[in-house]
Amino acid sequence: MMTVWVVLHQMPLTFHQQGPCITVSAYDVALYRYDVASGQSNARIVLAQRICEGTLLRGLLVHSAGDYSQLLQSMIGWSPATFVRVMNADARQMGLLNTHYADLSGISPHDQSTAANQATLAVNLMTDEPIVDQIVALTHVALPYNGVVDSYTPYIGQANVVGVKSGFTNPAGGCDVMAVKVTIGANTFLTFAVVLGEHGWNSINVAGSAALSLIQSLRPSIKQVRTPSGVQLEWTGPAADVHS
């Protein structure tokens, strides 16, 4: 998510724009082959292929294509070290004090964060970048040389789930940052839940199920309350359950 945040702040884009394009080099293909050989999530690329920012963002967010993040970094023109430095600077500016990035694809065992920090990042990303809100709601996407590929985010298109991002590494386990659309009366809003560190079989889906259950368990505590300024939504559950 932070990779996308940095990219969109350098190369703003709307959902219906293609954005700048890049030609895949032999070096890019070598990185892709390394991703394949090491079992990292990826999408196929070929030498001399021309691919644009909008497609790269869709592949990265919907299908977790780590090699697409490397192409986005190349498109900006920064070295990997510079890109990661900006990621960490933006994290500090956002108040993500328990977050540290070691690479731009999220694979390094030195990447660290917390559920609270990732929830803050997700809210900021979905709020400030409307294209992300639209992309992560897609259940599938067509990518060149890959055909139609499905979203790795559990429950997308079901139970009002509209995003955001899931992931897995052996050290981190299955992780899911989930956004669910909730309607109460005339008010529709997003609720977010983050589950990290699920280990065992099918761990991404286990994390997704836990995130959805968490959101559904909290829903009854959000009530419409009439105030002098009108009807508002308020948290009516235990104060200890509110994190700010």
Side-chain angles (χ1 to χ4, degrees):
M1 291 189 296
M2 183 59 81
T3 299
V4 173
W5 172 272
V6 171
V7 167
L8 287 172
H9 277 68
Q10 295 299 314
M11 301 184 298
L13 198 70
T14 67
F15 185 75
H16 296 290
Q17 292 176 321
Q18 285 192 331
C21 303
I22 191 171
T23 300
V24 174
S25 68
Y27 177 73
D28 297 324
V29 172
L31 289 177
Y32 157 69
R33 287 174 177 165
Y34 173 80
D35 291 344
V36 172
S38 57
Q40 299 180 33
S41 59
N42 62 80
R44 185 187 176 211
I45 57 175
V46 301
L47 184 64
Q49 170 188 351
R50 190 126 174 104
I51 190 167
C52 302
E53 180 187 1
T55 300
L56 292 170
L57 289 172
R58 283 162 173 77
L60 178 56
L61 287 168
V62 175
H63 200 59
S64 291
D67 54 322
Y68 276 19
S69 68
Q70 295 157 350
L71 289 170
L72 286 164
Q73 168 238 307
S74 297
M75 186 178 288
I76 292 175
W78 294 344
S79 68
T82 297
F83 198 104
V84 171
R85 187 159 56 246
V86 174
M87 292 172 71
N88 284 310
D90 284 1
R92 290 191 298 272
Q93 188 173 29
M94 206 179 290
L96 310 183
L97 302 182
N98 296 309
T99 295
H100 175 76
Y101 298 101
D103 69 350
L104 65 155
S105 62
I107 296 299
S108 171
H110 300 294
D111 291 315
Q112 295 181 344
S113 192
T114 63
N117 277 193
Q118 289 302 295
T120 298
L121 174 57
V123 171
N124 289 344
L125 187 59
M126 294 278 277
T127 302
D128 291 359
E129 301 292 350
I131 183 177
V132 174
D133 193 338
Q134 294 170 287
I135 289 177
V136 297
L138 299 172
T139 59
H140 57 271
V141 65
L143 301 176
Y145 298 99
N146 292 271
V148 176
V149 295
D150 293 329
S151 173
Y152 279 132
T153 301
Y155 297 104
I156 285 291
Q158 307 173 48
N160 294 317
V161 176
V162 294
V164 177
K165 188 72 177 65
S166 64
F168 171 85
T169 65
N170 285 323
C175 305
D176 188 39
V177 181
M178 179 176 285
V180 176
K181 187 176 293 185
V182 174
T183 300
I184 300 178
N187 298 286
T188 299
F189 57 97
L190 291 180
T191 54
F192 292 81
V194 180
V195 175
L196 308 177
E198 290 287 353
H199 293 274
W201 183 81
N202 208 15
S203 59
I204 289 180
N205 283 338
V206 171
S209 295
L212 183 59
S213 296
L214 178 60
I215 289 176
Q216 291 174 335
S217 70
L218 297 177
R219 162 64 183 81
S221 296
I222 305 172
K223 306 286 188 182
Q224 288 193 116
V225 178
R226 187 169 298 279
T227 69
S229 59
V231 176
Q232 298 180 357
L233 296 176
E234 291 187 2
W235 173 258
T236 61
D241 288 345
V242 179
H243 175 79
S244 58

